[in-house]
Amino acid sequence: MDRAMPLPPLHIGCAGWSLPRALWPEFPAGGSHLERYAQRFDAVEIDTSFYRPHRRETYERWAASTPEGFRFAVKLPQSITHEKRLLDAMPEFDAFLEQAGGLGAKLGCLVVQLPPSLPFDAGAVERFLSALRRRHRGAVVLEPRHRSWFTPQVDALLSQFQVGRVLADPVLFDEAAAPGGWPALAYLRLHGSPRRYWSAYDNALLVRLAKRLRQAREDGAACWCIFDNTAGGEAVGNALTLLRIDSESAVSSDRQP
């Protein structure tokens, strides 16, 4: 990528906007948790949409609570991914998209997380993504968890529909150790390791992660990095640290001749 051109965006945030009390001093004192969160981060992932629908007015209120450049990633309902298993699921998708459309321009990415028991079926995936793309042209990522999805054939099909394949940590298989699918979109979901949802990531790993994300952007990929190690409140601290490391790295790069 031409270094004179601005890099594609990097969105760093958490799954949800709950703020641990110990980190309240890092955020403005006034406003709701979302309003305070959005003064430090420019993105959040809404996971609750997987379990239950939210009214369009709720999404509209969330959008109105955040600055202009803020973006929401929204997880598709389990009725689409786990119950229908992507088959004949457009009535549910249409209802979901009408609701999430309340975010307007702040709807940044749709997240399609599949059950571990769902193997790759080229015909079913192509039909689902074709129908999805007739309805939605924005960013979409897919998080498969069955080993059959991690092949060049799958990456080619996802690229055809401009869909990124999520890199989730802990990594399930060696083949899943890097993002895949459409190369212009990289989406990381970091659940904490070794204890999923609880463990914090150490600074050395976050430094390496910042370098990988910067390289991906230099290669032309828009990047999302979402921390989901929320059970013990570690996500917010990790995300703040990654923001700082990335900012310091950007300043250092700008100073280089």
PDB file of all heavy atoms in Angstrom, residues 200-232:
ATOM      1  N   ALA A 200      -6.808 -11.899  31.282  1.00  0.00           N
ATOM      2  CA  ALA A 200      -6.297 -10.695  30.631  1.00  0.00           C
ATOM      3  C   ALA A 200      -5.139 -11.074  29.718  1.00  0.00           C
ATOM      4  O   ALA A 200      -4.458 -12.088  29.922  1.00  0.00           O
ATOM      5  CB  ALA A 200      -5.835  -9.686  31.677  1.00  0.00           C
ATOM      6  N   TYR A 201      -4.905 -10.254  28.704  1.00  0.00           N
ATOM      7  CA  TYR A 201      -3.746 -10.418  27.827  1.00  0.00           C
ATOM      8  C   TYR A 201      -2.615  -9.542  28.361  1.00  0.00           C
ATOM      9  O   TYR A 201      -2.841  -8.395  28.781  1.00  0.00           O
ATOM     10  CB  TYR A 201      -4.088 -10.008  26.399  1.00  0.00           C
ATOM     11  CG  TYR A 201      -5.081 -10.929  25.734  1.00  0.00           C
ATOM     12  CD1 TYR A 201      -6.432 -10.609  25.685  1.00  0.00           C
ATOM     13  CD2 TYR A 201      -4.677 -12.133  25.172  1.00  0.00           C
ATOM     14  CE1 TYR A 201      -7.352 -11.455  25.075  1.00  0.00           C
ATOM     15  CE2 TYR A 201      -5.587 -12.996  24.564  1.00  0.00           C
ATOM     16  CZ  TYR A 201      -6.918 -12.647  24.529  1.00  0.00           C
ATOM     17  OH  TYR A 201      -7.825 -13.493  23.933  1.00  0.00           O
ATOM     18  N   ASP A 202      -1.382 -10.083  28.342  1.00  0.00           N
ATOM     19  CA  ASP A 202      -0.269  -9.294  28.861  1.00  0.00           C
ATOM     20  C   ASP A 202       0.201  -8.285  27.818  1.00  0.00           C
ATOM     21  O   ASP A 202      -0.116  -8.369  26.634  1.00  0.00           O
ATOM     22  CB  ASP A 202       0.872 -10.184  29.340  1.00  0.00           C
ATOM     23  CG  ASP A 202       1.506 -11.031  28.237  1.00  0.00           C
ATOM     24  OD1 ASP A 202       1.621 -10.554  27.094  1.00  0.00           O
ATOM     25  OD2 ASP A 202       1.891 -12.176  28.525  1.00  0.00           O
ATOM     26  N   ASN A 203       0.973  -7.309  28.292  1.00  0.00           N
ATOM     27  CA  ASN A 203       1.385  -6.204  27.426  1.00  0.00           C
ATOM     28  C   ASN A 203       2.245  -6.660  26.262  1.00  0.00           C
ATOM     29  O   ASN A 203       2.159  -6.101  25.156  1.00  0.00           O
ATOM     30  CB  ASN A 203       2.128  -5.146  28.245  1.00  0.00           C
ATOM     31  CG  ASN A 203       1.181  -4.295  29.066  1.00  0.00           C
ATOM     32  OD1 ASN A 203      -0.016  -4.597  29.179  1.00  0.00           O
ATOM     33  ND2 ASN A 203       1.707  -3.232  29.644  1.00  0.00           N
ATOM     34  N   ALA A 204       3.080  -7.678  26.486  1.00  0.00           N
ATOM     35  CA  ALA A 204       3.942  -8.157  25.399  1.00  0.00           C
ATOM     36  C   ALA A 204       3.106  -8.683  24.238  1.00  0.00           C
ATOM     37  O   ALA A 204       3.404  -8.425  23.063  1.00  0.00           O
ATOM     38  CB  ALA A 204       4.891  -9.237  25.917  1.00  0.00           C
ATOM     39  N   LEU A 205       2.053  -9.411  24.550  1.00  0.00           N
ATOM     40  CA  LEU A 205       1.176  -9.904  23.486  1.00  0.00           C
ATOM     41  C   LEU A 205       0.475  -8.740  22.790  1.00  0.00           C
ATOM     42  O   LEU A 205       0.331  -8.741  21.559  1.00  0.00           O
ATOM     43  CB  LEU A 205       0.155 -10.881  24.057  1.00  0.00           C
ATOM     44  CG  LEU A 205      -0.777 -11.541  23.024  1.00  0.00           C
ATOM     45  CD1 LEU A 205      -1.091 -12.969  23.432  1.00  0.00           C
ATOM     46  CD2 LEU A 205      -2.082 -10.754  22.851  1.00  0.00           C
ATOM     47  N   LEU A 206       0.053  -7.737  23.541  1.00  0.00           N
ATOM     48  CA  LEU A 206      -0.640  -6.603  22.933  1.00  0.00           C
ATOM     49  C   LEU A 206       0.288  -5.805  22.021  1.00  0.00           C
ATOM     50  O   LEU A 206      -0.146  -5.268  20.997  1.00  0.00           O
ATOM     51  CB  LEU A 206      -1.237  -5.711  24.024  1.00  0.00           C
ATOM     52  CG  LEU A 206      -2.345  -6.369  24.862  1.00  0.00           C
ATOM     53  CD1 LEU A 206      -2.777  -5.442  25.992  1.00  0.00           C
ATOM     54  CD2 LEU A 206      -3.535  -6.755  24.005  1.00  0.00           C
ATOM     55  N   VAL A 207       1.554  -5.732  22.370  1.00  0.00           N
ATOM     56  CA  VAL A 207       2.529  -5.075  21.490  1.00  0.00           C
ATOM     57  C   VAL A 207       2.646  -5.834  20.167  1.00  0.00           C
ATOM     58  O   VAL A 207       2.647  -5.243  19.080  1.00  0.00           O
ATOM     59  CB  VAL A 207       3.902  -4.972  22.184  1.00  0.00           C
ATOM     60  CG1 VAL A 207       4.983  -4.558  21.182  1.00  0.00           C
ATOM     61  CG2 VAL A 207       3.835  -3.969  23.333  1.00  0.00           C
ATOM     62  N   ARG A 208       2.718  -7.158  20.246  1.00  0.00           N
ATOM     63  CA  ARG A 208       2.784  -7.960  19.024  1.00  0.00           C
ATOM     64  C   ARG A 208       1.497  -7.820  18.213  1.00  0.00           C
ATOM     65  O   ARG A 208       1.531  -7.733  16.978  1.00  0.00           O
ATOM     66  CB  ARG A 208       3.035  -9.434  19.369  1.00  0.00           C
ATOM     67  CG  ARG A 208       4.374  -9.698  20.036  1.00  0.00           C
ATOM     68  CD  ARG A 208       4.718 -11.183  20.036  1.00  0.00           C
ATOM     69  NE  ARG A 208       3.742 -11.988  20.770  1.00  0.00           N
ATOM     70  CZ  ARG A 208       3.801 -12.234  22.067  1.00  0.00           C
ATOM     71  NH1 ARG A 208       4.777 -11.710  22.809  1.00  0.00           N
ATOM     72  NH2 ARG A 208       2.889 -13.008  22.659  1.00  0.00           N
ATOM     73  N   LEU A 209       0.393  -7.763  18.913  1.00  0.00           N
ATOM     74  CA  LEU A 209      -0.891  -7.618  18.239  1.00  0.00           C
ATOM     75  C   LEU A 209      -0.973  -6.283  17.505  1.00  0.00           C
ATOM     76  O   LEU A 209      -1.445  -6.214  16.361  1.00  0.00           O
ATOM     77  CB  LEU A 209      -2.021  -7.726  19.270  1.00  0.00           C
ATOM     78  CG  LEU A 209      -3.448  -7.536  18.767  1.00  0.00           C
ATOM     79  CD1 LEU A 209      -3.790  -8.571  17.706  1.00  0.00           C
ATOM     80  CD2 LEU A 209      -4.423  -7.611  19.931  1.00  0.00           C
ATOM     81  N   ALA A 210      -0.504  -5.223  18.146  1.00  0.00           N
ATOM     82  CA  ALA A 210      -0.520  -3.905  17.501  1.00  0.00           C
ATOM     83  C   ALA A 210       0.303  -3.910  16.219  1.00  0.00           C
ATOM     84  O   ALA A 210      -0.093  -3.305  15.206  1.00  0.00           O
ATOM     85  CB  ALA A 210       0.002  -2.843  18.468  1.00  0.00           C
ATOM     86  N   LYS A 211       1.436  -4.602  16.241  1.00  0.00           N
ATOM     87  CA  LYS A 211       2.270  -4.682  15.038  1.00  0.00           C
ATOM     88  C   LYS A 211       1.549  -5.444  13.926  1.00  0.00           C
ATOM     89  O   LYS A 211       1.604  -5.046  12.745  1.00  0.00           O
ATOM     90  CB  LYS A 211       3.602  -5.358  15.372  1.00  0.00           C
ATOM     91  CG  LYS A 211       4.520  -4.523  16.262  1.00  0.00           C
ATOM     92  CD  LYS A 211       5.806  -5.262  16.574  1.00  0.00           C
ATOM     93  CE  LYS A 211       6.723  -4.427  17.455  1.00  0.00           C
ATOM     94  NZ  LYS A 211       7.978  -5.157  17.818  1.00  0.00           N
ATOM     95  N   ARG A 212       0.874  -6.526  14.276  1.00  0.00           N
ATOM     96  CA  ARG A 212       0.134  -7.305  13.271  1.00  0.00           C
ATOM     97  C   ARG A 212      -0.999  -6.485  12.668  1.00  0.00           C
ATOM     98  O   ARG A 212      -1.257  -6.530  11.459  1.00  0.00           O
ATOM     99  CB  ARG A 212      -0.425  -8.584  13.902  1.00  0.00           C
ATOM    100  CG  ARG A 212       0.621  -9.624  14.241  1.00  0.00           C
ATOM    101  CD  ARG A 212      -0.021 -10.902  14.767  1.00  0.00           C
ATOM    102  NE  ARG A 212      -0.851 -11.578  13.771  1.00  0.00           N
ATOM    103  CZ  ARG A 212      -1.541 -12.684  14.015  1.00  0.00           C
ATOM    104  NH1 ARG A 212      -1.505 -13.228  15.223  1.00  0.00           N
ATOM    105  NH2 ARG A 212      -2.257 -13.233  13.069  1.00  0.00           N
ATOM    106  N   LEU A 213      -1.696  -5.745  13.515  1.00  0.00           N
ATOM    107  CA  LEU A 213      -2.801  -4.932  13.022  1.00  0.00           C
ATOM    108  C   LEU A 213      -2.302  -3.811  12.114  1.00  0.00           C
ATOM    109  O   LEU A 213      -2.920  -3.512  11.086  1.00  0.00           O
ATOM    110  CB  LEU A 213      -3.585  -4.348  14.196  1.00  0.00           C
ATOM    111  CG  LEU A 213      -4.438  -5.354  14.978  1.00  0.00           C
ATOM    112  CD1 LEU A 213      -4.883  -4.764  16.314  1.00  0.00           C
ATOM    113  CD2 LEU A 213      -5.645  -5.792  14.157  1.00  0.00           C
ATOM    114  N   ARG A 214      -1.178  -3.221  12.478  1.00  0.00           N
ATOM    115  CA  ARG A 214      -0.645  -2.157  11.627  1.00  0.00           C
ATOM    116  C   ARG A 214      -0.208  -2.731  10.281  1.00  0.00           C
ATOM    117  O   ARG A 214      -0.433  -2.120   9.229  1.00  0.00           O
ATOM    118  CB  ARG A 214       0.517  -1.440  12.309  1.00  0.00           C
ATOM    119  CG  ARG A 214       1.019  -0.263  11.467  1.00  0.00           C
ATOM    120  CD  ARG A 214       1.944   0.647  12.221  1.00  0.00           C
ATOM    121  NE  ARG A 214       2.290   1.810  11.405  1.00  0.00           N
ATOM    122  CZ  ARG A 214       1.573   2.920  11.332  1.00  0.00           C
ATOM    123  NH1 ARG A 214       0.462   3.027  12.047  1.00  0.00           N
ATOM    124  NH2 ARG A 214       1.954   3.925  10.571  1.00  0.00           N
ATOM    125  N   GLN A 215       0.408  -3.909  10.290  1.00  0.00           N
ATOM    126  CA  GLN A 215       0.825  -4.524   9.036  1.00  0.00           C
ATOM    127  C   GLN A 215      -0.397  -4.841   8.168  1.00  0.00           C
ATOM    128  O   GLN A 215      -0.376  -4.640   6.947  1.00  0.00           O
ATOM    129  CB  GLN A 215       1.617  -5.797   9.309  1.00  0.00           C
ATOM    130  CG  GLN A 215       2.155  -6.467   8.047  1.00  0.00           C
ATOM    131  CD  GLN A 215       3.100  -5.561   7.278  1.00  0.00           C
ATOM    132  OE1 GLN A 215       4.125  -5.118   7.829  1.00  0.00           O
ATOM    133  NE2 GLN A 215       2.789  -5.255   6.021  1.00  0.00           N
ATOM    134  N   ALA A 216      -1.454  -5.336   8.786  1.00  0.00           N
ATOM    135  CA  ALA A 216      -2.674  -5.631   8.036  1.00  0.00           C
ATOM    136  C   ALA A 216      -3.235  -4.371   7.391  1.00  0.00           C
ATOM    137  O   ALA A 216      -3.685  -4.395   6.235  1.00  0.00           O
ATOM    138  CB  ALA A 216      -3.712  -6.270   8.955  1.00  0.00           C
ATOM    139  N   ARG A 217      -3.202  -3.266   8.098  1.00  0.00           N
ATOM    140  CA  ARG A 217      -3.686  -2.011   7.537  1.00  0.00           C
ATOM    141  C   ARG A 217      -2.781  -1.522   6.416  1.00  0.00           C
ATOM    142  O   ARG A 217      -3.262  -1.001   5.400  1.00  0.00           O
ATOM    143  CB  ARG A 217      -3.788  -0.962   8.644  1.00  0.00           C
ATOM    144  CG  ARG A 217      -4.835  -1.330   9.700  1.00  0.00           C
ATOM    145  CD  ARG A 217      -4.698  -0.447  10.925  1.00  0.00           C
ATOM    146  NE  ARG A 217      -5.092   0.912  10.632  1.00  0.00           N
ATOM    147  CZ  ARG A 217      -4.667   1.974  11.319  1.00  0.00           C
ATOM    148  NH1 ARG A 217      -3.795   1.818  12.325  1.00  0.00           N
ATOM    149  NH2 ARG A 217      -5.086   3.175  11.006  1.00  0.00           N
ATOM    150  N   GLU A 218      -1.481  -1.685   6.596  1.00  0.00           N
ATOM    151  CA  GLU A 218      -0.558  -1.302   5.518  1.00  0.00           C
ATOM    152  C   GLU A 218      -0.761  -2.163   4.278  1.00  0.00           C
ATOM    153  O   GLU A 218      -0.491  -1.723   3.151  1.00  0.00           O
ATOM    154  CB  GLU A 218       0.886  -1.383   6.013  1.00  0.00           C
ATOM    155  CG  GLU A 218       1.220  -0.302   7.037  1.00  0.00           C
ATOM    156  CD  GLU A 218       2.614  -0.448   7.617  1.00  0.00           C
ATOM    157  OE1 GLU A 218       3.264  -1.485   7.338  1.00  0.00           O
ATOM    158  OE2 GLU A 218       3.045   0.460   8.358  1.00  0.00           O
ATOM    159  N   ASP A 219      -1.267  -3.374   4.485  1.00  0.00           N
ATOM    160  CA  ASP A 219      -1.585  -4.258   3.366  1.00  0.00           C
ATOM    161  C   ASP A 219      -2.965  -3.984   2.780  1.00  0.00           C
ATOM    162  O   ASP A 219      -3.399  -4.676   1.848  1.00  0.00           O
ATOM    163  CB  ASP A 219      -1.506  -5.725   3.807  1.00  0.00           C
ATOM    164  CG  ASP A 219      -0.087  -6.159   4.120  1.00  0.00           C
ATOM    165  OD1 ASP A 219       0.859  -5.493   3.658  1.00  0.00           O
ATOM    166  OD2 ASP A 219       0.087  -7.171   4.838  1.00  0.00           O
ATOM    167  N   GLY A 220      -3.676  -3.008   3.342  1.00  0.00           N
ATOM    168  CA  GLY A 220      -4.940  -2.581   2.750  1.00  0.00           C
ATOM    169  C   GLY A 220      -6.195  -3.053   3.452  1.00  0.00           C
ATOM    170  O   GLY A 220      -7.299  -2.880   2.921  1.00  0.00           O
ATOM    171  N   ALA A 221      -6.087  -3.633   4.652  1.00  0.00           N
ATOM    172  CA  ALA A 221      -7.264  -4.173   5.344  1.00  0.00           C
ATOM    173  C   ALA A 221      -7.781  -3.203   6.404  1.00  0.00           C
ATOM    174  O   ALA A 221      -7.001  -2.697   7.221  1.00  0.00           O
ATOM    175  CB  ALA A 221      -6.936  -5.511   5.999  1.00  0.00           C
ATOM    176  N   ALA A 222      -9.082  -2.952   6.374  1.00  0.00           N
ATOM    177  CA  ALA A 222      -9.732  -2.309   7.509  1.00  0.00           C
ATOM    178  C   ALA A 222      -9.781  -3.322   8.652  1.00  0.00           C
ATOM    179  O   ALA A 222     -10.061  -4.501   8.423  1.00  0.00           O
ATOM    180  CB  ALA A 222     -11.132  -1.858   7.135  1.00  0.00           C
ATOM    181  N   CYS A 223      -9.510  -2.880   9.876  1.00  0.00           N
ATOM    182  CA  CYS A 223      -9.356  -3.815  10.997  1.00  0.00           C
ATOM    183  C   CYS A 223     -10.287  -3.468  12.157  1.00  0.00           C
ATOM    184  O   CYS A 223     -10.495  -2.296  12.472  1.00  0.00           O
ATOM    185  CB  CYS A 223      -7.914  -3.804  11.510  1.00  0.00           C
ATOM    186  SG  CYS A 223      -6.698  -4.418  10.321  1.00  0.00           S
ATOM    187  N   TRP A 224     -10.798  -4.526  12.757  1.00  0.00           N
ATOM    188  CA  TRP A 224     -11.532  -4.436  14.011  1.00  0.00           C
ATOM    189  C   TRP A 224     -10.829  -5.338  15.021  1.00  0.00           C
ATOM    190  O   TRP A 224     -10.419  -6.447  14.677  1.00  0.00           O
ATOM    191  CB  TRP A 224     -12.970  -4.941  13.851  1.00  0.00           C
ATOM    192  CG  TRP A 224     -13.890  -4.060  13.073  1.00  0.00           C
ATOM    193  CD1 TRP A 224     -13.841  -3.801  11.730  1.00  0.00           C
ATOM    194  CD2 TRP A 224     -15.030  -3.351  13.574  1.00  0.00           C
ATOM    195  NE1 TRP A 224     -14.870  -2.977  11.372  1.00  0.00           N
ATOM    196  CE2 TRP A 224     -15.619  -2.688  12.479  1.00  0.00           C
ATOM    197  CE3 TRP A 224     -15.604  -3.247  14.841  1.00  0.00           C
ATOM    198  CZ2 TRP A 224     -16.763  -1.902  12.621  1.00  0.00           C
ATOM    199  CZ3 TRP A 224     -16.754  -2.461  14.981  1.00  0.00           C
ATOM    200  CH2 TRP A 224     -17.307  -1.797  13.878  1.00  0.00           C
ATOM    201  N   CYS A 225     -10.715  -4.859  16.252  1.00  0.00           N
ATOM    202  CA  CYS A 225     -10.172  -5.686  17.325  1.00  0.00           C
ATOM    203  C   CYS A 225     -11.080  -5.530  18.535  1.00  0.00           C
ATOM    204  O   CYS A 225     -11.107  -4.465  19.170  1.00  0.00           O
ATOM    205  CB  CYS A 225      -8.741  -5.272  17.668  1.00  0.00           C
ATOM    206  SG  CYS A 225      -7.964  -6.366  18.879  1.00  0.00           S
ATOM    207  N   ILE A 226     -11.841  -6.589  18.824  1.00  0.00           N
ATOM    208  CA  ILE A 226     -12.839  -6.560  19.887  1.00  0.00           C
ATOM    209  C   ILE A 226     -12.416  -7.494  21.014  1.00  0.00           C
ATOM    210  O   ILE A 226     -12.166  -8.682  20.800  1.00  0.00           O
ATOM    211  CB  ILE A 226     -14.215  -6.984  19.351  1.00  0.00           C
ATOM    212  CG1 ILE A 226     -14.701  -5.999  18.275  1.00  0.00           C
ATOM    213  CG2 ILE A 226     -15.224  -7.103  20.485  1.00  0.00           C
ATOM    214  CD1 ILE A 226     -14.960  -4.591  18.785  1.00  0.00           C
ATOM    215  N   PHE A 227     -12.340  -6.959  22.221  1.00  0.00           N
ATOM    216  CA  PHE A 227     -12.000  -7.752  23.405  1.00  0.00           C
ATOM    217  C   PHE A 227     -13.291  -8.235  24.073  1.00  0.00           C
ATOM    218  O   PHE A 227     -14.162  -7.432  24.419  1.00  0.00           O
ATOM    219  CB  PHE A 227     -11.176  -6.921  24.384  1.00  0.00           C
ATOM    220  CG  PHE A 227      -9.782  -6.639  23.899  1.00  0.00           C
ATOM    221  CD1 PHE A 227      -9.498  -5.494  23.162  1.00  0.00           C
ATOM    222  CD2 PHE A 227      -8.751  -7.533  24.160  1.00  0.00           C
ATOM    223  CE1 PHE A 227      -8.219  -5.233  22.698  1.00  0.00           C
ATOM    224  CE2 PHE A 227      -7.458  -7.281  23.703  1.00  0.00           C
ATOM    225  CZ  PHE A 227      -7.197  -6.128  22.962  1.00  0.00           C
ATOM    226  N   ASP A 228     -13.370  -9.560  24.239  1.00  0.00           N
ATOM    227  CA  ASP A 228     -14.554 -10.181  24.831  1.00  0.00           C
ATOM    228  C   ASP A 228     -14.214 -10.882  26.146  1.00  0.00           C
ATOM    229  O   ASP A 228     -14.980 -11.707  26.633  1.00  0.00           O
ATOM    230  CB  ASP A 228     -15.171 -11.178  23.825  1.00  0.00           C
ATOM    231  CG  ASP A 228     -16.523 -11.699  24.271  1.00  0.00           C
ATOM    232  OD1 ASP A 228     -17.236 -10.967  24.987  1.00  0.00           O
ATOM    233  OD2 ASP A 228     -16.873 -12.842  23.922  1.00  0.00           O
ATOM    234  N   ASN A 229     -13.065 -10.564  26.727  1.00  0.00           N
ATOM    235  CA  ASN A 229     -12.700 -11.115  28.043  1.00  0.00           C
ATOM    236  C   ASN A 229     -13.318 -10.215  29.120  1.00  0.00           C
ATOM    237  O   ASN A 229     -12.629  -9.545  29.887  1.00  0.00           O
ATOM    238  CB  ASN A 229     -11.186 -11.253  28.191  1.00  0.00           C
ATOM    239  CG  ASN A 229     -10.420 -10.005  27.797  1.00  0.00           C
ATOM    240  OD1 ASN A 229     -10.927  -9.146  27.079  1.00  0.00           O
ATOM    241  ND2 ASN A 229      -9.178  -9.905  28.249  1.00  0.00           N
ATOM    242  N   THR A 230     -14.652 -10.243  29.143  1.00  0.00           N
ATOM    243  CA  THR A 230     -15.420  -9.293  29.933  1.00  0.00           C
ATOM    244  C   THR A 230     -15.859  -9.815  31.294  1.00  0.00           C
ATOM    245  O   THR A 230     -16.316  -9.033  32.133  1.00  0.00           O
ATOM    246  CB  THR A 230     -16.678  -8.873  29.150  1.00  0.00           C
ATOM    247  OG1 THR A 230     -17.405 -10.051  28.773  1.00  0.00           O
ATOM    248  CG2 THR A 230     -16.312  -8.102  27.893  1.00  0.00           C
ATOM    249  N   ALA A 231     -15.762 -11.122  31.540  1.00  0.00           N
ATOM    250  CA  ALA A 231     -16.333 -11.697  32.761  1.00  0.00           C
ATOM    251  C   ALA A 231     -15.718 -11.090  34.020  1.00  0.00           C
ATOM    252  O   ALA A 231     -16.414 -10.874  35.019  1.00  0.00           O
ATOM    253  CB  ALA A 231     -16.146 -13.213  32.763  1.00  0.00           C
ATOM    254  N   GLY A 232     -14.423 -10.809  33.981  1.00  0.00           N
ATOM    255  CA  GLY A 232     -13.763 -10.190  35.112  1.00  0.00           C
ATOM    256  C   GLY A 232     -13.406  -8.738  34.870  1.00  0.00           C
ATOM    257  O   GLY A 232     -12.627  -8.151  35.631  1.00  0.00           O
TER     258      GLY A 232
END
